Amino acid sequence: MRTINVELEQRQERSYPIYIERGILDEVGPGLGRLGLKGRCALVTNPLVRSICGERVIKSLEGAGFDVLTVEVKDGEQYKILAEASMIYDRLIEEKLERSTPIVALGGGVIGDITGFVAATYLRGVPYVQVPTTLLAQVDSSVGGKTGVNHPRGKNLIGAFYQPRAVFIDPDVLKTLDKSELRAGLAEVVKYGVIWDEGFFRFLEENTQGLSAVEDALVRAIERSCEIKAHVVKEDETEKGLRSILNFGHTFAHAIEAVTGYTRYKHGEAVSMGMVLAASFSARLGVCEETVADRIENLLKTLGLPVEAPELRYEAILGAMLVDKKVLSGRMRFVLAKKIGDVVLRDVQREEVEAFLRKAAR
Ligand code: NAD
Ligand code: GLY
């Protein structure tokens, strides 16, 4: 089993392990026991994930002596909302769950985010663990403690930083995942190579076949992604500085998602297109060579991800970016690529963004 520790500076009591192992779903119960948790627990999942692997996790928890309350949230991003969180609170209150009772989040990023938020707020905070079942959740959302729900006015507007007690990652659970979901998760994997580790980026370039199924290359990619994320979160838990590098490509991606009503593209697909834009913007500003942008685009394309959205008008993207971003004295902050494995935060004049988008749209 691979264990990666998320060591939170000066807060040793909140540091936690990420366990990565094929088949670890059957070990979640004993794992919770080793964390000193016992008695009752709540399992939050959705009907699809429950039908795929929920019973295995429940069996593991019951086998370790837990009395399990299972709560199902409807499947879909549209249910990552306060009303659904409230439904979970209702169940926890009806069942009189106490402050020491852990909650297990079993599912993709939607389940992880809403469950983490409920755990952060129910009785002012109860322990929770993440058992992510999508690639995106395994390499990104289950690690780092960003929890929350959406608001009608925007995504993730309500939330809290609240770290799990442990993360249990079973790569085998990805075997049932839709291929398009797997590809979407790979966009975030590529991001780690771009922002942090040229060697890892090269590994991805050399193993594109092995990344499209649950093979050793994919397991290695999950491990390295978690290592990098753990390192960044350790340095900057609440995104005062360094953590914003995890948003490489995301300013463009959020705008693409907003303009298309959050329905046409999966988040990872938008991140793929956003990273290509961020890289070519970096080249245009002279921060990196054109070849850096080409390399990023080629890898994403080879992995089957979209790299451009020609149907979108640049004015709409710029408009969405201006709503999304804090524009301070006409300047917008971007994560720009210096080379593969190294990025920099830079404030850019709004006019430069506009000129770039106008040209990119041609
Ligand atoms: P998701 O949770 O909606 O899962 C995608 C689909 O896959 C769902 O239908 C789900 O039921 C299904 N599914 C899950 N596991 C499966 C499995 N093993 N086999 C078959 N189907 C399975 O989407 P996602 O991409 O995992 O997460 C997206 C969410 O994550 C967004 O809400 C986003 O805001 C959030 N997010 C959070 C962070 C963070 O740091 N907290 C980071 C990135 C994204
Ligand atoms: N997904 C970005 C972050 O966790 O900060």
Side-chain angles (χ1 to χ4, degrees):
M1 177 167 62
R2 186 68 208 284
T3 306
I4 295 161
N5 287 309
V6 185
E7 285 158 12
L8 297 170
E9 235 145 56
Q10 298 162 353
R11 303 211 180 187
Q12 203 49 43
E13 80 284 0
R14 293 196 308 110
S15 297
Y16 56 93
I18 305 167
Y19 302 113
I20 306 173
E21 190 177 39
R22 290 173 153 198
I24 203 172
L25 276 192
D26 299 315
E27 300 300 321
V28 172
L32 252 66
R34 280 193 294 279
L35 293 169
L37 302 165
K38 53 183 187 304
R40 304 179 75 192
C41 77
L43 175 83
V44 180
T45 187
N46 72 31
L48 176 64
V49 176
R50 184 174 184 173
S51 72
I52 291 168
C53 58
E55 301 314 318
R56 265 176 78 191
V57 176
I58 292 169
K59 195 169 158 216
S60 164
L61 289 163
E62 287 178 347
F66 285 95
D67 175 11
V68 186
L69 166 72
T70 302
V71 183
E72 283 185 12
V73 176
K74 292 190 203 84
D75 188 5
E77 181 73 33
Q78 68 273 34
Y79 298 109
K80 201 178 96 173
I81 50 173
L82 271 177
E84 213 60 14
S86 192
M87 178 281 291
I88 305 174
Y89 295 133
D90 290 348
R91 293 292 308 282
L92 303 182
I93 292 166
E94 275 160 27
E95 297 288 334
K96 300 189 173 54
L97 260 60
E98 296 170 1
R99 196 174 270 167
S100 58
T101 308
I103 307 185
V104 178
L106 176 71
V110 166
I111 291 293
D113 280 13
I114 194 169
T115 305
F117 180 66
V118 166
T121 45
Y122 178 64
L123 302 180
R124 300 197 180 87
V126 297
Y128 80 112
V129 302
Q130 293 272 12
V131 188
T133 63
T134 63
L135 182 60
L136 180 130
Q138 295 192 345
V139 298
D140 190 358
S141 63
S142 66
V143 174
K146 277 190 181 175
T147 75
V149 292
N150 301 327
H151 183 273
R153 299 288 288 275
K155 276 191 71 175
N156 299 324
L157 291 183
I158 319 289
F161 283 102
Y162 191 63
Q163 302 291 343
R165 294 285 300 275
V167 183
F168 297 85
I169 296 180
D170 185 344
D172 276 346
V173 83
L174 303 179
K175 284 177 181 164
T176 52
L177 196 62
D178 195 89
K179 288 288 176 208
S180 63
E181 294 290 351
L182 195 76
R183 279 197 295 273
L186 285 174
E188 301 286 357
V189 172
V190 170
K191 176 191 79 182
Y192 291 114
V194 176
I195 63 170
W196 201 262
D197 184 349
E198 209 261 340
F200 181 48
F201 190 91
R202 205 174 324 113
F203 169 84
L204 299 175
E205 287 175 320
E206 288 164 1
N207 288 278
T208 49
Q209 284 294 324
L211 294 169
S212 60
V214 183
E215 295 184 10
D216 289 349
L218 185 65
V219 179
R220 175 72 199 113
I222 294 168
E223 289 174 356
R224 186 64 189 134
S225 300
C226 287
E227 275 172 1
I228 295 170
K229 180 140 190 193
H231 190 85
V232 172
V233 169
K234 167 181 179 275
E235 295 293 318
D236 177 22
E237 185 185 354
T238 54
E239 204 167 307
K240 302 270 192 308
L242 180 72
R243 188 166 179 163
S244 25
I245 69 171
L246 297 173
N247 297 330
F248 177 70
H250 283 56
T251 299
F252 292 109
H254 289 156
I256 292 170
E257 286 181 286
V259 166
T260 52
Y262 298 94
T263 49
R264 191 174 320 160
Y265 298 108
K266 295 185 195 307
H267 176 66
E269 292 170 338
V271 167
S272 174
M273 294 182 274
M275 287 196 292
V276 172
L277 282 170
S280 70
F281 190 34
S282 308
R284 182 185 162 100
L285 293 172
V287 178
C288 71
E289 304 286 334
E290 280 289 348
T291 50
V292 172
D294 293 343
R295 225 175 131 189
I296 295 171
E297 180 169 344
N298 284 338
L299 176 56
L300 292 165
K301 231 191 241 172
T302 311
L303 291 169
L305 282 154
V307 292
E308 58 181 355
E311 75 279 19
L312 300 184
R313 292 180 48 231
Y314 86 87
E315 296 94 334
I317 297 192
L318 182 69
M321 285 168 85
L322 292 173
V323 172
D324 180 50
K325 296 289 285 185
K326 267 197 231 129
V327 183
L328 299 169
S329 325
R331 295 174 81 80
M332 300 162 80
R333 180 154 291 182
F334 281 86
V335 186
L336 299 174
K338 282 165 77 180
K339 54 186 180 145
I340 302 291
D342 195 9
V343 288
V344 64
L345 286 173
R346 180 80 61 90
D347 289 336
V348 182
Q349 287 292 347
R350 179 208 141 125
E351 291 72 27
E352 287 184 281
V353 184
E354 187 167 355
F356 165 71
L357 280 174
R358 192 180 307 122
K359 187 153 181 287
R362 280 202 200 116

